[in-house]
């Protein structure tokens, strides 16, 4: 059974602080790792699709790294703002092209 | 603006009713998916389709069926709704190499 774990389950961060959280996934049959942001009352929105070991992607204050050999990815948010409050989902894509989802990290930014 | 449209945002149905959840995408994507999301759990795949008239069971197909008569439309059917099917239902579409585009979700309550 393929498992994708995200930690922590939830996180409270002071506005202006930086934060990061983890996605762990199987290290075999890797095809891609996806990150999504899901804000309340909206659709999940794609952040990154990462395919290469050592990959680093950046979008504004949000960045992500990928280690396929050990099976983890980190998502970093620099200088958190209230609009960063959301659930961040990662999903592992193996050789069968289906996505296996983590349960998400719920991020709450305190003003 | 490309999108995935789900027909209802909120739905309340009675136990035993037949329920139809509709999903339409305008991106000419081959792949379409139905997920449910429950607190503390990742997105769980109910059914997916790689082509018109084609369907495959996901991880939790019991109590559900699907229909894909046209490329742009993928319907989820609850043959006889039960209270344990109260959930958030998300539709998504993708092409072979793209990330997923999600609909805004349908929150179904079965009473």
């Amino acid at each position: 059974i393929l498992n994708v774990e995200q930690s922590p389950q939830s996180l409270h961060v002071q506005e202006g602080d930086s934060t990061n959280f983890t996605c762990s996934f199987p290290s075999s049959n890797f095809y891609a790792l996806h990150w999504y942001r899901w804000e309340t009352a909206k659709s999940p929105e794609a952040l990154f699709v990462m395919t290469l070991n050592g990959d680093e992607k950046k979008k504004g204050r949000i960045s992500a790294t990928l280690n396929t050999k050990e099976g983890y990815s980190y998502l970093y948010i620099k200088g958190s703002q209230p609009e960063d409050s959301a659930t961040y989902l990662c999903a592992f894509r193996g050789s069968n092209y289906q996505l296996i989802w983590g349960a998400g990290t719920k991020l709450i930014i305190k003003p | 603006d490309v999108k995935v449209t789900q027909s209802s945002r909120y739905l309340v149905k009675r136990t035993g009713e037949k329920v139809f959840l509709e999903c339409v995408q305008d991106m000419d994507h081959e792949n379409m998916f139905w997920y449910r999301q429950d607190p503390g759990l990742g997105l769980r795949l109910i059914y997916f389709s790689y082509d018109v008239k084609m369907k495959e069971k996901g991880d939790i197909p019991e109590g559900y069926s699907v229909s894909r008569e046209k490329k742009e439309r993928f319907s989820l059917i609850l043959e006889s709704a039960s209270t344990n099917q109260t959930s958030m239902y998300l539709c998504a579409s993708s092409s072979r190499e793209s990330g997923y585009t999600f609909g805004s979700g349908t929150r179904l309550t079965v009473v």
Side-chain angles (χ1 to χ4, degrees):
Chain A
I1 296 176
L2 299 177
N3 221 23
V4 176
E5 304 276 351
Q6 288 189 248
S7 63
Q9 191 172 2
S10 65
L11 193 54
H12 289 72
V13 174
Q14 200 68 42
E15 183 177 349
D17 287 352
S18 297
T19 188
N20 65 85
F21 29 91
T22 309
C23 173
S24 302
F25 53 86
S27 53
S28 58
N29 296 317
F30 178 87
Y31 185 83
L33 193 282
H34 295 235
W35 280 101
Y36 286 80
R37 173 170 59 201
W38 193 3
E39 295 178 67
T40 303
K42 295 185 179 179
S43 315
E45 170 200 358
L47 287 173
F48 307 115
V49 180
M50 308 177 79
T51 56
L52 297 175
N53 185 43
D55 229 0
E56 286 190 36
K57 299 261 186 178
K58 190 173 180 182
K59 191 175 184 177
R61 294 179 289 99
I62 303 176
S63 60
T65 60
L66 180 68
N67 183 322
T68 60
K69 292 183 179 177
E70 295 181 41
Y72 65 84
S73 175
Y74 292 133
L75 190 82
Y76 299 90
I77 301 178
K78 188 177 177 182
S80 304
Q81 299 297 309
E83 61 264 30
D84 296 328
S85 294
T87 296
Y88 290 82
L89 298 169
C90 72
F92 166 83
R93 194 172 203 176
S95 52
N96 68 357
Y97 299 109
Q98 287 182 45
L99 289 184
I100 300 168
W101 295 84
T105 293
K106 185 172 183 177
L107 177 65
I108 298 163
I109 307 300
K110 300 180 288 185
Chain B
D1 193 20
V2 294
K3 58 184 180 182
V4 175
T5 303
Q6 292 184 230
S7 53
S8 303
R9 192 63 202 269
Y10 298 95
L11 215 49
V12 180
K13 295 291 181 180
R14 294 192 183 279
T15 301
E17 275 193 79
K18 191 169 186 176
V19 182
F20 293 86
L21 301 184
E22 304 288 347
C23 176
V24 177
Q25 51 100 0
D26 63 2
M27 294 164 284
D28 201 36
H29 282 167
E30 305 89 20
N31 311 318
M32 295 188 76
F33 307 85
W34 273 106
Y35 289 91
R36 64 179 281 177
Q37 202 265 343
D38 300 289
L41 300 176
L43 291 173
R44 292 185 291 166
L45 183 63
I46 305 171
Y47 267 96
F48 60 99
S49 169
Y50 285 149
D51 204 348
V52 176
K53 295 193 185 294
M54 192 240 143
K55 57 187 177 185
E56 294 283 346
K57 291 180 180 179
D59 300 319
I60 50 165
E62 297 78 21
Y64 303 95
S65 61
V66 289
S67 171
R68 193 159 181 209
E69 295 297 316
K70 294 184 178 181
K71 191 175 186 180
E72 66 271 18
R73 186 180 296 270
F74 192 36
S75 304
L76 180 70
I77 303 153
L78 286 65
E79 296 290 342
S80 177
S82 63
T83 53
N84 63 12
Q85 292 178 309
T86 291
S87 187
M88 168 69 85
Y89 290 87
L90 280 171
C91 175
S93 72
S94 75
S95 62
R96 189 172 176 83
E97 298 301 327
S98 75
Y100 286 23
T101 301
F102 284 89
S104 53
T106 297
R107 186 165 291 284
L108 173 67
T109 303
V110 182
V111 297

